[in-house]
Amino acid sequence: MKITPDTNVLIRVLVGDNVEQSKAAEALLKKADVVALSISALCELVWVLSRGYKASAANIAASIRHLINASNVVVNRSVAEAGLALLDAGGDFVDGVIAHEGSWLGAEVFVSVDKKAVKLIEASGGSARLP
């Protein structure tokens, strides 16, 4: 079976806060021939883990790497890695995703009112500016 889990399934696997659901979610991911992880689900996962569960950026990054490195997982790796790079640098995963996808779509500059995001994108070699 080839599946795309939503964020709630990923949370159950990573957090284990509902024993029954967590066991079922983990078994499903292990049993699947292919687990297609959407970037949208990863962005939402980061938000839920950081805001709802107060997880550190390092723990969130480790959790995402654990998920995307599973042998049966497919993901847009370049986008996920761009998000992880910004998260590792102290920024927001989603800003890395947005900047990378924007560049892929032909944008020349990442624009944000978030001064930290602009600074981190520039530090990573990207073009970024405030409005």
Side-chain angles (χ1 to χ4, degrees):
M1 176 173 26
K2 299 176 182 180
I3 65 167
T4 298
D6 77 355
T7 305
N8 293 310
V9 171
L10 300 176
I11 289 291
R12 296 291 82 76
V13 169
L14 295 174
V15 177
D17 57 355
N18 180 308
V19 176
E20 186 177 319
Q21 288 181 0
S22 295
K23 285 181 182 181
E26 189 171 330
L28 181 63
L29 292 185
K30 285 182 180 179
K31 183 180 173 183
D33 297 315
V34 173
V35 177
L37 290 181
S38 74
I39 295 299
S40 300
L42 291 179
C43 288
E44 189 176 28
L45 176 67
V46 170
W47 191 89
V48 171
L49 289 174
S50 66
R51 301 293 170 102
Y53 290 91
K54 308 297 183 205
S56 69
N59 285 341
I60 293 168
S63 294
I64 291 173
R65 285 186 174 97
H66 175 75
L67 288 170
I68 68 174
N69 288 326
S71 62
N72 62 343
V73 167
V74 294
V75 65
N76 186 330
R77 186 159 294 270
S78 65
V79 177
E81 292 293 346
L84 286 167
L86 207 62
L87 185 62
D88 290 340
D92 292 329
F93 179 87
V94 71
D95 287 331
V97 166
I98 292 168
H100 183 82
E101 286 187 331
S103 176
W104 182 81
L105 290 167
E108 296 172 343
V109 179
F110 171 79
V111 179
S112 176
V113 297
D114 183 341
K115 292 177 185 176
K116 184 178 180 181
V118 168
K119 182 179 177 181
L120 291 171
I121 296 292
E122 288 176 328
S124 71
S127 179
R129 59 169 264 200
L130 297 167

